[in-house]
Amino acid sequence: MALEHAILVSLMEQSASGYELARRFDRSIGHFWNASHQQIYRTLKRMHRDGWVDLEHISQESRPDKKVYTTSSVGSDELREWISTETTGSNSRVELVLKLRGASYGDISSVREQFEHHRDAATQRLDVYRRIEKHDFPDPTRLSARGVHQHLVLTAGLRIEEGFIAWCSEVLDALAPQT
Amino acid sequence: MALEHAILVSLMEQSASGYELARRFDRSIGHFWNASHQQIYRTLKRMHRDGWVDLEHISQESRPDKKVYTTSSVGSDELREWISTETTGSNSRVELVLKLRGASYGDISSVREQFEHHRDAATQRLDVYRRIEKHDFPDPTRLSARGVHQHLVLTAGLRIEEGFIAWCSEVLDALAPQT
DNA sequence: GGTTTCATGTAACTAGTTACATGATTTA
DNA sequence: TAAATCATGTAACTAGTTACATGAAACC
């Protein structure tokens, strides 16, 4: 899972209450990730129990009290570790984006390697899709209605992989170690 | 939810056992959707209970018996209805792909409208991202390490929206009513 | 003799969503 | 005076993952 890690990255940038984190997830991070306030409160509680975050109670006049969370040293160790761990599973692209965002809190060369790996995997996938296209849709101008729809679905796969590979190249260019 | 509907689309194309469906999800559909066999068996059971699918027990020699499921009339009504229902929520792009794949089993003009709507929404999002880029990264050549990372994350958003909009245009061109 | 394929499932767990609950203050 | 903002939570549910279980046949 990575909601914990998304929260850690966000807290590294700036300490926050659960409410404030929920708002951040609705804005910047939330463009590609979303988490409800219920999820965030629940997760913060667990993270505090596990010592990943420190907690400060803040009383306010004319506003409800709030609990401000800060990444602890255990938390930042955990984040650093997670950033260097190979990214697998169905959510991997979103996690890669998150690792990029938090790259300064971990080992950048490891992030680079992970991007290389996922770019290569995407290139192979793209190749598979192109073979499928050649095999199943040799003449895309002559297709039944259902054939057209199926071909468009395959096109989605092609476009997604192409886009991802291009973006990986941008990332790798920008993360290139300055020699 | 839409796993039910993904199964319905798959069964409309060809009746299958839970095992066979799981394999299909690992291949074609599974490039952008994945479902474990446990999930599929559980969901098929519920769909059968609700009358969305019919069931035929098939005994085989030298192979375990299997249960072959077929979309019932209730199921195809449900699918038709779902295809015409507005697509919302965090999973909407995957659902749109699925509706495209099953478009022949529902109302194509409604699918068209949904694609138009989502293309327009993506165009607005893209515009928001471009404004953010102008505002937060006026000079992308002069950025701190963290600034570079944050900018690349924004770039991911830009590329995803651009790609999605381009693909929607392909879809809309292909689905255009022949006049 | 070991792995893959066919074929079905249960049980326990983690993650995420929806609905409900409270209550003051500020803004339209 | 109604809605939005700030601020926290509980409870119940749905969806998805991981681990365990069985057992024959085909393939390498």
Side-chain angles (χ1 to χ4, degrees), chain B residues 33-147:
Chain B
W33 190 301
N34 76 319
S36 59
H37 76 273
Q38 295 88 340
Q39 243 183 299
I40 289 169
Y41 284 126
R42 209 201 284 159
T43 305
L44 278 171
K45 196 169 273 185
R46 186 172 63 236
M47 290 170 77
H48 183 244
R49 185 200 65 200
D50 296 343
W52 292 19
V53 290
D54 295 323
L55 169 58
E56 195 187 355
H57 287 267
I58 295 187
S59 316
Q60 299 177 111
E61 315 166 20
S62 87
R63 287 265 160 249
D65 295 356
K66 61 178 174 179
K67 300 177 174 179
V68 171
Y69 294 91
T70 308
T71 312
S72 69
S73 62
V74 175
S76 64
D77 287 353
E78 171 56 40
L79 179 60
R80 173 175 292 275
E81 166 93 25
W82 176 76
I83 286 173
S84 291
T85 304
E86 251 193 282
T87 311
T88 54
S90 54
N91 214 21
S92 61
R93 290 189 185 180
V94 176
E95 289 188 24
L96 276 180
V97 173
L98 185 61
K99 284 184 180 182
L100 179 58
R101 172 141 182 177
S104 338
Y105 312 117
D107 175 26
I108 289 181
S109 67
S110 165
V111 174
R112 260 192 69 85
E113 277 165 33
Q114 292 175 56
F115 269 90
E116 277 166 7
H117 177 256
H118 282 267
R119 180 201 54 193
D120 294 348
T123 305
Q124 277 179 36
R125 251 167 190 262
L126 178 58
D127 202 56
V128 169
Y129 291 168
R130 286 187 174 149
R131 279 168 208 274
I132 293 174
E133 189 180 32
K134 261 191 195 147
H135 182 264
D136 291 357
F137 307 97
D139 183 1
T141 59
R142 296 193 160 278
L143 287 172
S144 66
R146 265 182 53 197

Side-chain angles (χ1 to χ4, degrees), chain B residues 4-21:
Chain B
E4 282 96 327
H5 300 103
I7 289 174
L8 284 177
V9 169
S10 199
L11 290 181
M12 289 296 282
E13 293 171 355
Q14 177 79 55
S15 298
S17 66
Y19 184 84
E20 168 62 20
L21 279 169

